[in-house]
Amino acid sequence: MSGARLEIIERNCKGCSICVEFCPKNVLEMDVFLVTVPRPEDCIKCMQCELLCPDFAIKVHDE
Amino acid sequence: MAYDYEKSIRPGKLPHIWCPGCGHGIVMKGLIRAMDTCGLDRKNTAVVSGIGCASRLPGYLDACTLHTAHGRAAAFATGVKMAKPEMNVICCGGDGDGTAIGGNHFIHACRRNIDMTYVLMNNFIYGMTGGQFSPCTPTGAKASTTPYGNPDPIFDISKLAIGAGATFVARTTAAHPREIDKLIVQGIQHKGMAIIEVLDDCPTTYGRRNKFRSVIDMMKYLKASAVPVKAASKMTAEQLEGKFLTGVLFHDTDKPEYCAQYADIIKKAQGA
């Protein structure tokens, strides 16, 4: 499923990795202390990362 | 699709001060969504807090906010509500702030059943001051002041609130973000004292002393230990050992609300 764009607000991300662990489709990965999006095409827009990010650092946009 | 939280946050306030993985940010997001769902006018909404990590929350919100003395959130909020009964009053605070230092104010606000919503973030510890044990630190858990394990039994905040007379009591965890805003919405819509206890993670001062090696371990623990009220009715006491009930635990619409009663007294005193 495609059509999702994940925006990472790097200034806000503290690297807690909650989004990476709770993503059911393994879309996200940690790059030391910053989250990256290596597989955006696998995103099913479940919004778990956005809901669980305590730092307002990730947004799931519908494209 | 992406939720616009920024419109509810004071410009330039992010990133916030909370530690990496702290659940308070998740609760704040839930509160923003709930305030939007209820259509609260920011100029007519007071968000009141005491002192502590959780009590930093109103500082970020673009609403009428009040950051008060330690534990006195409920007392100041009562004052706001009595002076301006048309205002929506929301209290925020942690477990130490709300039930230890402010325990007295908390129970008496519950007893009066004054119309406000208290979002109590229970992270089992005093986070900001260096991890001292709070009334919600589980028995046996380690804190900076109980290095051999905490000998005290815990306060069950929800039961305390029900016993003290609050008329809407609900509990959820930071690992259930959609439930947070659902319950806060119900709390705001409820006419009377609404307590929303959100079990939270403190990886920095609680987790690392208590065998939660990472934020994820704490979040998974919260997720695994939460049992919805309906599911719990089919479970035995042994199965419920170490778990906590989530959802709406108590809801009473019959008890009179304090501001309405006080308005009657004013009328009586004025000879109407």
Side-chain angles (χ1 to χ4, degrees):
Chain A
M1 197 166 166
S2 61
R5 180 171 65 84
L6 282 95
E7 179 193 357
I8 310 291
I9 300 138
E10 295 186 7
R11 189 170 170 271
N12 289 354
C13 181
K14 292 178 187 152
C16 67
S17 80
I18 288 178
C19 55
V20 177
E21 289 292 329
F22 284 90
C23 175
K25 287 292 181 183
N26 200 17
V27 171
L28 306 157
E29 251 173 45
M30 287 308 290
D31 176 18
V32 196
F33 288 116
L34 191 68
V35 62
T36 56
V37 193
R39 291 171 288 277
E41 65 281 358
D42 290 348
C43 177
I44 54 167
K45 293 181 263 186
C46 69
M47 308 296 285
Q48 280 298 306
C49 55
E50 190 183 309
L51 287 164
L52 282 167
C53 173
D55 292 299
F56 302 79
I58 187 161
K59 279 177 181 285
V60 184
H61 295 284
D62 212 354
E63 295 273 285
Chain B
M1 188 94 179
Y3 201 91
D4 186 11
Y5 294 103
E6 282 73 13
K7 69 174 183 347
S8 310
I9 296 175
R10 291 187 174 136
K13 284 283 183 183
L14 290 179
H16 53 58
I17 57 144
W18 294 315
C19 302
C22 171
H24 295 342
I26 303 172
V27 182
M28 181 166 146
K29 279 180 156 174
L31 180 62
I32 290 172
R33 290 196 300 275
M35 285 165 75
D36 289 347
T37 309
C38 292
L40 297 192
D41 175 15
R42 314 241 159 228
K43 286 181 183 157
N44 199 28
T45 305
V47 188
V48 188
S49 73
I51 300 291
C53 290
S55 298
R56 294 297 292 257
L57 195 155
Y60 300 107
L61 288 181
D62 188 14
C64 303
T65 61
L66 189 59
H67 194 189
T68 72
H70 206 346
R72 272 61 182 166
F76 280 84
T78 303
V80 172
K81 188 73 189 174
M82 292 304 290
K84 284 182 159 255
E86 71 283 1
M87 229 173 172
N88 306 297
V89 179
I90 297 167
C91 274
C92 295
D95 51 323
D97 183 60
T99 59
I101 291 160
N104 216 345
H105 296 292
F106 179 80
I107 55 172
H108 290 288
C110 290
R111 176 174 63 94
R112 290 197 182 107
N113 193 32
I114 188 159
D115 183 23
M116 65 168 91
T117 308
Y118 200 127
V119 182
L120 205 148
M121 286 158 254
N122 177 2
N123 59 3
F124 316 116
I125 202 114
Y126 282 97
M128 184 173 272
T129 48
Q132 292 84 358
F133 72 105
S134 83
C136 299
T137 306
T139 311
K142 286 177 181 164
S144 65
T145 43
T146 55
Y148 302 104
N150 176 27
D152 297 357
I154 61 157
F155 252 158
D156 185 326
I157 296 177
S158 295
K159 278 187 186 161
L160 176 73
I162 296 168
T167 46
F168 182 89
V169 180
R171 188 197 277 132
T172 183
T173 82
H176 299 81
R178 288 195 197 275
E179 201 178 24
I180 297 175
D181 52 310
K182 201 179 94 189
L183 293 176
I184 297 177
V185 165
Q186 290 181 43
I188 291 172
Q189 287 167 349
H190 174 72
K191 198 93 185 125
M193 185 72 178
I195 307 287
I196 321 291
E197 181 191 0
V198 187
L199 297 164
D200 218 340
D201 61 318
C202 180
T204 307
T205 61
Y206 181 77
R208 71 187 166 96
R209 288 195 180 93
N210 290 285
K211 293 181 182 162
F212 296 107
R213 293 187 68 86
S214 67
V215 175
I216 309 305
D217 287 352
M218 279 226 76
M219 292 296 280
K220 283 186 176 161
Y221 160 74
L222 290 175
K223 209 164 185 142
S225 310
V227 179
V229 183
K230 266 188 191 166
S233 59
K234 293 173 197 149
M235 288 165 75
T236 61
E238 286 111 59
Q239 285 172 314
L240 287 170
E241 186 82 30
K243 309 268 187 203
F244 26 75
L245 303 186
T246 59
V248 180
L249 304 177
F250 185 74
H251 192 188
D252 173 14
T253 48
D254 297 333
K255 193 173 169 182
E257 196 271 325
Y258 189 66
C259 290
Q261 279 192 310
Y262 206 82
D264 287 345
I265 289 176
I266 292 172
K267 264 188 209 160
K268 232 184 248 174
Q270 288 173 342

